[in-house]
Amino acid sequence: MITTITDGVKVSVETIYQPEYSNPANDHYMFAYKISIENVGHSSVQLLRRHWEIFDSNGAKREVEGEGVVGQQPIIEPGNTHEYVSGCNLKTDMGSMKGEYQMTRLIDNAIFDVQIPEFYLITPYRMN
């Protein structure tokens, strides 16, 4: 698990390769990732937007940006955690993702970015 803390928000990531949804013969590798967003600060926060940078090991880069996560803009109270699972497909058997969440602190409506730590998407057979 990879973890980082920015301005009182802790982001942790776990990944899993999904061979049942992959087709290596056609350069299609599917990965799932589980994100835990924990409010370790003293004020409620709301996740507004996400921005991802996705890298294949062949040097290709994609960016994904949009509102919320999996259709939600959760409010996370101090001491609470919001978790979700999403997926990413790559054209290579390994790559990485990183990004940030745009959040607002509800007590003063301050907007701030929370870093999503870079994490690696690697098929199990590449780990040997």
Side-chain angles (χ1 to χ4, degrees):
M1 180 181 298
I2 306 292
T3 299
T4 190
I5 299 175
T6 309
D7 288 333
V9 178
K10 180 179 176 180
V11 178
S12 302
V13 185
E14 294 178 70
T15 64
I16 186 166
Y17 175 60
Q18 297 189 296
E20 64 276 18
Y21 299 109
S22 298
N23 187 340
N26 290 324
D27 297 329
H28 181 79
Y29 301 86
M30 191 69 199
F31 296 86
Y33 55 89
K34 178 181 177 184
I35 305 274
S36 297
I37 306 167
E38 182 181 358
N39 185 346
V40 295
H42 302 292
S43 302
S44 299
V45 296
Q46 183 173 16
L47 191 154
L48 302 175
R49 300 186 62 78
R50 71 191 182 287
H51 175 251
W52 287 106
E53 294 180 26
I54 304 164
F55 303 91
D56 284 282
S57 61
N58 63 5
K61 175 185 172 184
R62 293 179 283 156
E63 292 193 49
V64 176
E65 191 169 349
E67 289 189 359
V69 290
V70 292
Q72 299 180 347
Q73 291 181 310
I75 293 174
I76 309 168
E77 303 292 336
N80 288 347
T81 301
H82 177 79
E83 295 182 338
Y84 71 94
V85 175
S86 192
C88 177
N89 64 303
L90 297 178
K91 292 182 186 271
T92 59
D93 59 0
M94 58 189 278
S96 67
M97 293 177 66
K98 66 179 180 177
E100 61 265 343
Y101 296 122
Q102 182 184 73
M103 296 202 164
T104 184
R105 195 171 293 106
L106 298 182
I107 195 167
D108 60 4
N109 293 321
I111 304 276
F112 62 103
D113 289 333
V114 171
Q115 296 305 305
I116 304 167
E118 184 170 20
F119 56 94
Y120 295 94
L121 306 163
I122 304 172
T123 57
Y125 58 84
R126 287 290 294 213
M127 307 268 291
N128 294 329

